[in-house]
PDB file of all heavy atoms in Angstrom:
ATOM      1  N   ALA B1077     -10.993  -1.747  40.801  1.00 95.00           N
ATOM      2  CA  ALA B1077     -12.375  -2.204  41.027  1.00 95.00           C
ATOM      3  C   ALA B1077     -12.907  -1.344  42.203  1.00 95.00           C
ATOM      4  O   ALA B1077     -14.189  -0.965  42.109  1.00 95.00           O
ATOM      5  CB  ALA B1077     -12.231  -3.613  41.493  1.00 95.00           C
ATOM      6  N   ALA B1078     -12.238  -1.174  43.261  1.00 96.00           N
ATOM      7  CA  ALA B1078     -12.578  -0.381  44.455  1.00 96.00           C
ATOM      8  C   ALA B1078     -12.986   1.057  44.103  1.00 96.00           C
ATOM      9  O   ALA B1078     -14.071   1.632  44.491  1.00 96.00           O
ATOM     10  CB  ALA B1078     -11.496  -0.332  45.518  1.00 96.00           C
ATOM     11  N   ILE B1079     -12.147   1.669  43.245  1.00 95.00           N
ATOM     12  CA  ILE B1079     -12.379   3.057  42.870  1.00 95.00           C
ATOM     13  C   ILE B1079     -13.753   3.111  41.979  1.00 95.00           C
ATOM     14  O   ILE B1079     -14.578   3.931  42.406  1.00 95.00           O
ATOM     15  CB  ILE B1079     -11.218   3.589  42.033  1.00 95.00           C
ATOM     16  CG1 ILE B1079     -10.053   3.854  42.975  1.00 95.00           C
ATOM     17  CG2 ILE B1079     -11.508   4.973  41.360  1.00 95.00           C
ATOM     18  CD1 ILE B1079      -8.717   4.265  42.103  1.00 95.00           C
ATOM     19  N   THR B1080     -13.769   2.192  41.044  1.00 95.00           N
ATOM     20  CA  THR B1080     -15.057   2.204  40.293  1.00 95.00           C
ATOM     21  C   THR B1080     -16.322   1.966  41.208  1.00 95.00           C
ATOM     22  O   THR B1080     -17.283   2.719  41.257  1.00 95.00           O
ATOM     23  CB  THR B1080     -14.943   1.165  39.205  1.00 95.00           C
ATOM     24  OG1 THR B1080     -13.649   1.137  38.544  1.00 95.00           O
ATOM     25  CG2 THR B1080     -16.072   1.299  38.259  1.00 95.00           C
ATOM     26  N   PHE B1081     -16.174   0.974  42.082  1.00 95.00           N
ATOM     27  CA  PHE B1081     -17.354   0.700  42.921  1.00 95.00           C
ATOM     28  C   PHE B1081     -17.700   1.882  43.826  1.00 95.00           C
ATOM     29  O   PHE B1081     -18.793   2.270  43.877  1.00 95.00           O
ATOM     30  CB  PHE B1081     -16.920  -0.648  43.768  1.00 95.00           C
ATOM     31  CG  PHE B1081     -18.116  -0.828  44.813  1.00 95.00           C
ATOM     32  CD1 PHE B1081     -19.309  -1.461  44.530  1.00 95.00           C
ATOM     33  CD2 PHE B1081     -17.871  -0.475  46.058  1.00 95.00           C
ATOM     34  CE1 PHE B1081     -20.337  -1.695  45.236  1.00 95.00           C
ATOM     35  CE2 PHE B1081     -18.911  -0.762  46.946  1.00 95.00           C
ATOM     36  CZ  PHE B1081     -20.123  -1.265  46.604  1.00 95.00           C
ATOM     37  N   PHE B1082     -16.634   2.335  44.506  1.00 94.00           N
ATOM     38  CA  PHE B1082     -17.058   3.322  45.598  1.00 94.00           C
ATOM     39  C   PHE B1082     -17.579   4.723  44.897  1.00 94.00           C
ATOM     40  O   PHE B1082     -18.493   5.253  45.442  1.00 94.00           O
ATOM     41  CB  PHE B1082     -15.905   3.600  46.614  1.00 94.00           C
ATOM     42  CG  PHE B1082     -15.853   2.541  47.610  1.00 94.00           C
ATOM     43  CD1 PHE B1082     -14.762   1.590  47.629  1.00 94.00           C
ATOM     44  CD2 PHE B1082     -16.729   2.476  48.670  1.00 94.00           C
ATOM     45  CE1 PHE B1082     -14.779   0.562  48.534  1.00 94.00           C
ATOM     46  CE2 PHE B1082     -16.713   1.520  49.638  1.00 94.00           C
ATOM     47  CZ  PHE B1082     -15.620   0.603  49.548  1.00 94.00           C
ATOM     48  N   VAL B1083     -16.878   5.039  43.785  1.00 94.00           N
ATOM     49  CA  VAL B1083     -17.291   6.360  43.233  1.00 94.00           C
ATOM     50  C   VAL B1083     -18.756   6.257  42.699  1.00 94.00           C
ATOM     51  O   VAL B1083     -19.537   7.127  42.893  1.00 94.00           O
ATOM     52  CB  VAL B1083     -16.317   6.789  42.192  1.00 94.00           C
ATOM     53  CG1 VAL B1083     -16.838   8.032  41.306  1.00 94.00           C
ATOM     54  CG2 VAL B1083     -14.880   7.151  42.691  1.00 94.00           C
ATOM     55  N   PHE B1084     -18.967   5.056  42.063  1.00 94.00           N
ATOM     56  CA  PHE B1084     -20.402   4.864  41.488  1.00 94.00           C
ATOM     57  C   PHE B1084     -21.348   4.714  42.636  1.00 94.00           C
ATOM     58  O   PHE B1084     -22.395   5.335  42.580  1.00 94.00           O
ATOM     59  CB  PHE B1084     -20.303   3.707  40.524  1.00 94.00           C
ATOM     60  CG  PHE B1084     -20.110   4.100  39.154  1.00 94.00           C
ATOM     61  CD1 PHE B1084     -18.667   3.977  38.658  1.00 94.00           C
ATOM     62  CD2 PHE B1084     -21.021   4.520  38.269  1.00 94.00           C
ATOM     63  CE1 PHE B1084     -18.443   4.395  37.390  1.00 94.00           C
ATOM     64  CE2 PHE B1084     -20.706   4.831  36.959  1.00 94.00           C
ATOM     65  CZ  PHE B1084     -19.461   4.717  36.505  1.00 94.00           C
ATOM     66  N   TYR B1085     -21.026   3.847  43.512  1.00 92.00           N
ATOM     67  CA  TYR B1085     -22.038   3.632  44.783  1.00 92.00           C
ATOM     68  C   TYR B1085     -22.334   4.895  45.478  1.00 92.00           C
ATOM     69  O   TYR B1085     -23.561   5.182  45.640  1.00 92.00           O
ATOM     70  CB  TYR B1085     -21.254   2.626  45.691  1.00 92.00           C
ATOM     71  CG  TYR B1085     -22.106   2.462  47.007  1.00 92.00           C
ATOM     72  CD1 TYR B1085     -23.231   1.589  46.866  1.00 92.00           C
ATOM     73  CD2 TYR B1085     -21.702   3.001  48.144  1.00 92.00           C
ATOM     74  CE1 TYR B1085     -23.992   1.402  48.105  1.00 92.00           C
ATOM     75  CE2 TYR B1085     -22.359   2.696  49.222  1.00 92.00           C
ATOM     76  CZ  TYR B1085     -23.517   2.057  49.174  1.00 92.00           C
ATOM     77  OH  TYR B1085     -24.264   1.858  50.375  1.00 92.00           O
ATOM     78  N   LYS B1086     -21.360   5.722  45.732  1.00 91.00           N
ATOM     79  CA  LYS B1086     -21.620   6.928  46.523  1.00 91.00           C
ATOM     80  C   LYS B1086     -22.219   7.901  45.564  1.00 91.00           C
ATOM     81  O   LYS B1086     -23.154   8.740  45.981  1.00 91.00           O
ATOM     82  CB  LYS B1086     -20.253   7.412  47.001  1.00 91.00           C
ATOM     83  CG  LYS B1086     -20.303   8.563  47.914  1.00 91.00           C
ATOM     84  CD  LYS B1086     -20.372   8.241  49.348  1.00 91.00           C
ATOM     85  CE  LYS B1086     -20.494   9.457  50.211  1.00 91.00           C
ATOM     86  NZ  LYS B1086     -20.813   9.181  51.516  1.00 91.00           N
ATOM     87  N   GLY B1087     -21.880   8.100  44.364  1.00 90.00           N
ATOM     88  CA  GLY B1087     -22.391   9.012  43.457  1.00 90.00           C
ATOM     89  C   GLY B1087     -23.815   8.756  43.010  1.00 90.00           C
ATOM     90  O   GLY B1087     -24.710   9.722  42.581  1.00 90.00           O
ATOM     91  N   LEU B1088     -24.200   7.516  42.878  1.00 91.00           N
ATOM     92  CA  LEU B1088     -25.599   7.202  42.381  1.00 91.00           C
ATOM     93  C   LEU B1088     -26.577   7.177  43.586  1.00 91.00           C
ATOM     94  O   LEU B1088     -27.779   7.122  43.311  1.00 91.00           O
ATOM     95  CB  LEU B1088     -25.658   5.884  41.509  1.00 91.00           C
ATOM     96  CG  LEU B1088     -24.797   5.808  40.280  1.00 91.00           C
ATOM     97  CD1 LEU B1088     -24.762   4.506  39.625  1.00 91.00           C
ATOM     98  CD2 LEU B1088     -25.376   6.910  39.391  1.00 91.00           C
ATOM     99  N   GLN B1089     -26.072   7.101  44.764  1.00 88.00           N
ATOM    100  CA  GLN B1089     -26.987   6.944  45.981  1.00 88.00           C
ATOM    101  C   GLN B1089     -28.106   8.076  45.985  1.00 88.00           C
ATOM    102  O   GLN B1089     -29.284   7.654  46.168  1.00 88.00           O
ATOM    103  CB  GLN B1089     -26.107   7.124  47.213  1.00 88.00           C
ATOM    104  CG  GLN B1089     -26.454   5.964  48.240  1.00 88.00           C
ATOM    105  CD  GLN B1089     -25.533   5.973  49.437  1.00 88.00           C
ATOM    106  OE1 GLN B1089     -24.827   7.010  49.580  1.00 88.00           O
ATOM    107  NE2 GLN B1089     -25.503   5.081  50.228  1.00 88.00           N
ATOM    108  N   PRO B1090     -27.749   9.293  45.721  1.00 88.00           N
ATOM    109  CA  PRO B1090     -28.845  10.280  45.921  1.00 88.00           C
ATOM    110  C   PRO B1090     -29.983  10.033  44.941  1.00 88.00           C
ATOM    111  O   PRO B1090     -31.195  10.541  45.229  1.00 88.00           O
ATOM    112  CB  PRO B1090     -28.223  11.610  45.690  1.00 88.00           C
ATOM    113  CG  PRO B1090     -26.796  11.312  45.065  1.00 88.00           C
ATOM    114  CD  PRO B1090     -26.482   9.861  45.536  1.00 88.00           C
ATOM    115  N   PHE B1091     -29.868   9.308  43.840  1.00 88.00           N
ATOM    116  CA  PHE B1091     -30.947   9.198  42.853  1.00 88.00           C
ATOM    117  C   PHE B1091     -31.822   7.855  43.185  1.00 88.00           C
ATOM    118  O   PHE B1091     -32.920   7.799  42.812  1.00 88.00           O
ATOM    119  CB  PHE B1091     -30.316   9.003  41.567  1.00 88.00           C
ATOM    120  CG  PHE B1091     -29.340  10.070  41.077  1.00 88.00           C
ATOM    121  CD1 PHE B1091     -28.035   9.771  40.766  1.00 88.00           C
ATOM    122  CD2 PHE B1091     -29.711  11.483  41.146  1.00 88.00           C
ATOM    123  CE1 PHE B1091     -27.271  10.808  40.425  1.00 88.00           C
ATOM    124  CE2 PHE B1091     -28.927  12.330  40.800  1.00 88.00           C
ATOM    125  CZ  PHE B1091     -27.590  12.057  40.429  1.00 88.00           C
TER     126      PHE B1091
END
Side-chain angles (χ1 to χ4, degrees):
Chain B
I1079 291 171
T1080 315
F1081 172 76
F1082 279 107
V1083 171
F1084 272 90
Y1085 174 75
K1086 187 93 178 168
L1088 293 179
Q1089 232 173 8
F1091 308 120

